[in-house]
Structures are given as C-alpha cells and as structure tokens.
Amino acid sequence: MSERKKINLPHLFKKVADTEPITWLTCYDYPTAYLQEQAGVEMILVGDSLGMTMLGYETTLPVTMEDMIRHTQAVRRGAPTAFLVGDMPYMSYQPSVETAIRNAGRFMAEAACDAVKLEGGREMADRIHGIVSSGIPTIGHLGLTPQSVSALGGYRVQGKGALQAKKIIEDAKALEEAGAFAILLEMVPDRVCKLITEKAKNCFIMSLGSGPHAHGQLLIYHDMFGLYPRFKPRMAKVFGDAGRVILEGLLGYVSEVTQRQFPQPENWFGIPDREYEELLQLLED
Ligand code: KIV
C-alpha cells in the first residue's frame, strides 16, 4: 500500500492556491482503485457511468443507490487515501431536498465517501444547500449532464451559443452560492470554462472535455484504456490500449486450451505416489 496521507479538502484547496492541477478519475472496482491509489490519483469519482461501463446499460438512468453503494465500498477498500466522491444516481436527489440529504448521507455512512456529486443548475441549488447544511461536501455538475441526455438532445457540447453559455455561467454562480465546494464542467467550450474558473471564489472548477483552464481534470477510466466497447468520446485520450491487450490474452487462452497447450505441469497440483497408491487401494476395498 502507498504511504500517502489522506487527501482532504484543505489539500485540494492548497493545490488550487498553488495553481497546481488536480487529478480526478472515475473508478468502479477494488483492483482499479488499488492501481489509482498507487499512481497517486488525488480524487476518485464512483460515477453513475458505471451503469454503462460496468453494467452494460445504454444510459446511466437505471442505476440505483444500491448499485452505487456496492461499487463505492469496493473502491474505498482499494483506495483508502483518495478523496472519494459518490455520484448521486438518477432520482436519488431530484424528488426533494430530504431525499437528496438522505441519499447523500448513505454515501458518507455506508461507503466512507468524502463528498457527493449531483447534476443540474440553479434548479438543484436547494438540494446542494440542504446537503451541504447537513455537513456533506458537495460537487455540482454542469454542461453535458448525462441524466438529462434526452432533454439535452444527445451527448453534445453545451454552451456553444452565447445565451446558453451565459446560463451555464449563472448556474455555476448559483451552485457556488448554494455551497458547492467544486463544480464539474462537462463538454463546455474552453473559453466558457475559463470565464467560470476565473469567477470562482469559494469553489474550484474541474474539467471533463472543457479545456485546460480549469483547476483540474477528470477522465473516464474506461475511455482512457480502451475498455468501453461502444464508443470513445473525442475528449478522451487513450493512455494505454488495455482492451486490446486483454483481448489478445483471451484469444491466446482460447487457442491454447483448444490445442491442449494449456495447462502445463506448473499450472496444476499433484498427489504423492504413495498417497495415490493408497487411494486406489481404498477405492478397491
Ligand atoms: O458518472 C460519471 O462518471 C460522471 C462523469 C460523466 C462526469 O458523472
């Protein structure tokens, strides 16, 4: 295990003050969390994108609190010092402030999260205010918000027009005033992200496909390593094609078993001759 000290909010705000970019990745399971911890990734998001990347749904909408809690617990076991963010799934916060507080509390109590994230602009400001007032650090999420993909008309850049960009800037201010300590901008044009980053006073801004001017960067782990078979978003950089490496290994396994090249003696266990003779004798008796 790494020797790293627990990442907390003062550490993250110090990085912002020192103008050092913050690293943030999605993660959904124990072995990947272990590797991210070893690599020094500071923030981990257990995103409801796990509905697509891990469970094979077409969207994030079917994901439940139970799904989220199970995966978040596994990630915490693998990454004890990362700043862990639980992503509030569809309809876990939209119905009311009370629903939002109760479900945010579950992430903290049952999965040892450091914070939660939820999607939406000023219409969700009261949810953020309620959760923050309950002592739970909260991140807002603006721009492309996948839980509203139907209303947004698909997975597309948000804020390309001046009016829509102004609305995102105003929404960011509303979330900051509601108490969000950070705001994620997903697929927002770089110069709009820069304006929001410059205006942020009490929160920091994270970018997913929104350019280099934010205080830090988020990527979806499965996109970084060629592990999501349906598509690769343009904004994602592939840092290593693990999908191809794994596929080559699987093809090798199928071929070796089929041709009786696997297993070899080092892959199985034997019984001493004397014990085996005795066993045969026992079976005969
Ligand atoms: O669920 C998720 O991984 C997210 C990212 C798309 C930001 O919310």
Side-chain angles (χ1 to χ4, degrees):
M1 256 316 155
S2 68
E3 299 297 315
R4 182 171 75 167
K5 282 216 304 231
K6 178 84 187 71
I7 305 281
N8 55 20
L9 277 177
H11 172 95
L12 296 174
F13 275 101
K14 176 156 189 328
K15 289 205 76 171
V16 172
D18 295 346
T19 62
E20 286 176 23
I22 295 169
T23 53
W24 193 14
L25 293 180
T26 63
C27 182
Y28 320 101
D29 59 62
Y30 170 81
T32 310
Y34 180 85
L35 294 175
Q36 292 194 10
E37 171 98 11
Q38 299 308 302
V41 174
E42 292 158 312
M43 294 176 66
I44 289 182
L45 172 68
V46 184
D48 65 351
S49 51
L50 69 81
M52 299 166 77
T53 55
M54 301 294 286
L55 303 177
Y57 295 130
E58 298 260 326
T59 69
T60 59
L61 303 192
V63 175
T64 64
M65 274 303 293
E66 269 51 50
D67 294 330
M68 293 304 302
I69 295 288
R70 170 62 64 93
H71 284 269
T72 310
Q73 288 169 334
V75 170
R76 176 48 97 203
R77 287 191 282 270
T81 71
F83 190 89
L84 183 61
V85 183
D87 197 15
M88 300 197 64
Y90 187 55
M91 287 302 145
S92 69
Y93 58 97
Q94 288 93 339
S96 67
V97 174
E98 185 182 332
T99 317
I101 296 172
R102 285 196 187 286
N103 285 316
R106 286 194 64 190
F107 276 109
M108 307 300 282
E110 296 175 39
C113 278
D114 297 295
V116 298
K117 171 176 91 58
L118 57 86
E119 299 180 8
R122 67 199 75 166
E123 67 288 354
M124 289 298 144
D126 63 346
R127 311 311 195 268
I128 291 190
H129 179 71
I131 299 170
V132 172
S133 303
S134 307
I136 301 173
T138 308
I139 301 178
H141 179 169
L142 296 172
L144 175 67
T145 45
Q147 291 175 16
S148 310
V149 68
S150 175
L152 296 177
Y155 294 94
R156 54 177 64 164
V157 180
Q158 301 294 311
K160 270 178 121 170
L163 275 180
Q164 203 193 26
K166 181 165 176 279
K167 180 175 181 309
I168 296 175
I169 292 170
E170 288 167 357
D171 278 345
K173 200 29 83 188
L175 298 189
E176 180 175 4
E177 283 168 8
F181 76 87
I183 297 171
L184 170 66
L185 299 180
E186 179 172 353
M187 288 177 77
V188 169
D190 59 345
R191 284 187 286 179
V192 179
C193 177
K194 184 166 187 276
L195 287 173
I196 294 173
T197 305
E198 286 165 356
K199 284 176 192 293
K201 295 276 175 293
N202 301 311
C203 70
F204 60 85
I205 305 302
M206 299 296 290
S207 157
L208 173 54
S210 302
H213 305 295
H215 297 110
Q217 297 292 325
L218 169 68
L219 273 181
I220 308 283
Y221 175 82
H222 281 57
D223 297 337
M224 292 172 71
F225 291 105
L227 292 170
Y228 187 61
R230 290 211 188 108
F231 57 85
K232 182 194 89 63
R234 190 176 80 86
M235 63 201 176
K237 174 171 172 182
V238 178
F239 282 81
D241 199 348
R244 187 180 53 75
V245 172
I246 293 170
L247 180 60
E248 276 169 12
L250 292 170
L251 289 169
Y253 164 78
V254 170
S255 153
E256 287 195 20
V257 171
T258 309
Q259 293 170 36
R260 300 187 187 283
Q261 292 168 347
F262 177 88
Q264 293 293 320
E266 65 269 23
N267 308 120
W268 70 65
F269 304 91
I271 179 171
D273 290 347
R274 247 191 49 215
E275 298 297 324
Y276 187 62
E277 294 307 325
E278 191 179 331
L279 170 65
L280 294 181
Q281 196 59 55
L282 285 171
L283 292 175
E284 259 175 39
D285 296 347

